[in-house]
Amino acid sequence: MTPEQMADGQESAVPPRPDGSVPLPPPRPLDTIDQDILQMLQADGRASVRSVAERVHVSRANAYARINRLVEDGVIRGFGARVDHERAGHGTSAYITLKIVQNSWRTVREQLRQLPGASHIALVGGDFDVLLLVHTPDNRALREVVLTRLQAIPEVLSTRTLLVFEEEDLEPQTRPAPGGQGTPRQDA
């Protein structure tokens, strides 16, 4: 912000990112009530505002405002269902590591988002550059993803496939309230 804008009390407009999205504001600190709300919504994304308010000992208006702030700040990215991939017809899962051409992350990421069954993409440091989790109906479909789709991306230098034999999503753990096991919080 320029000194003139500061003197006039004007905010500088935040330019959009190259992909057209508007950057999120800097994160605000989360207090224990915010943390409790996050934990509740991770365990049950369908929890009503009323039940959230009751469990964290605040008014419904306060709970509603806090949830909206967490969404607006990008802390909560969305609400969804936890899926059993095997029961949903995608019984073969694999982590695939990729080595990619230097400075090609954004291009590769956009292509990986289009892969059928891709559920997690991460740029990492170490012996490889990208870690990709895919869920496919069977080994034949996994083979198609790895040998046809991934190898066709020019920026992908090499891949390594790690077949998942068994997996488990970790459920959020419930924290005891301050003051003891299951004791309602008195500080709100």
Side-chain angles (χ1 to χ4, degrees):
M1 186 176 327
T2 66
E4 295 79 26
Q5 288 173 320
M6 289 174 62
D8 292 341
Q10 297 174 358
E11 292 292 323
S12 62
V14 179
R17 294 180 179 152
D19 66 0
S21 65
V22 177
L24 293 171
R28 293 181 255 195
L30 303 180
D31 62 18
T32 56
I33 294 172
D34 291 331
Q35 295 288 349
D36 289 346
I37 289 171
L38 288 174
Q39 191 172 31
M40 283 184 62
L41 292 176
Q42 284 176 309
D44 180 9
R46 295 175 51 170
S48 68
V49 173
R50 186 177 126 238
S51 68
V52 169
E54 288 172 359
R55 298 246 330 254
V56 298
H57 307 289
V58 297
S59 70
R60 281 188 294 206
N62 186 309
Y64 183 80
R66 285 173 178 267
I67 292 168
N68 277 345
R69 180 178 49 81
L70 291 167
V71 170
E72 289 169 2
D73 286 356
V75 176
I76 296 176
R77 297 181 303 180
F79 299 87
R82 290 186 296 272
V83 175
D84 182 319
H85 296 285
E86 189 170 353
R87 293 185 59 89
H90 289 87
T92 300
S93 298
Y95 286 96
I96 304 168
T97 65
L98 294 84
K99 288 187 181 180
I100 61 174
V101 172
Q102 189 172 3
N103 296 322
S104 65
W105 162 242
R106 287 179 180 85
T107 303
V108 171
R109 178 182 59 197
E110 291 312 310
Q111 294 176 68
L112 295 178
R113 285 179 174 162
Q114 306 304 313
L115 283 177
S119 67
H120 184 85
I121 305 165
L123 177 66
V124 297
D127 293 337
F128 49 88
D129 304 306
V130 178
L131 183 63
L132 170 68
L133 174 60
V134 297
H135 303 283
T136 61
D138 53 33
N139 284 350
R140 182 178 304 276
L142 177 60
R143 180 181 187 278
E144 172 72 17
V145 167
V146 175
L147 298 180
T148 305
R149 302 288 297 268
L150 287 176
Q151 297 298 330
I153 300 172
E155 297 85 359
V156 172
L157 302 173
S158 66
T159 64
R160 174 177 274 169
T161 303
L162 307 166
L163 191 61
V164 174
F165 294 125
E166 188 175 317
E167 65 184 321
E168 178 180 344
D169 290 329
L170 301 177
E171 302 296 326
Q173 300 296 314
T174 53
R175 239 181 14 200
Q181 296 282 72
T183 307
R185 186 172 44 242
Q186 301 298 318
D187 60 350

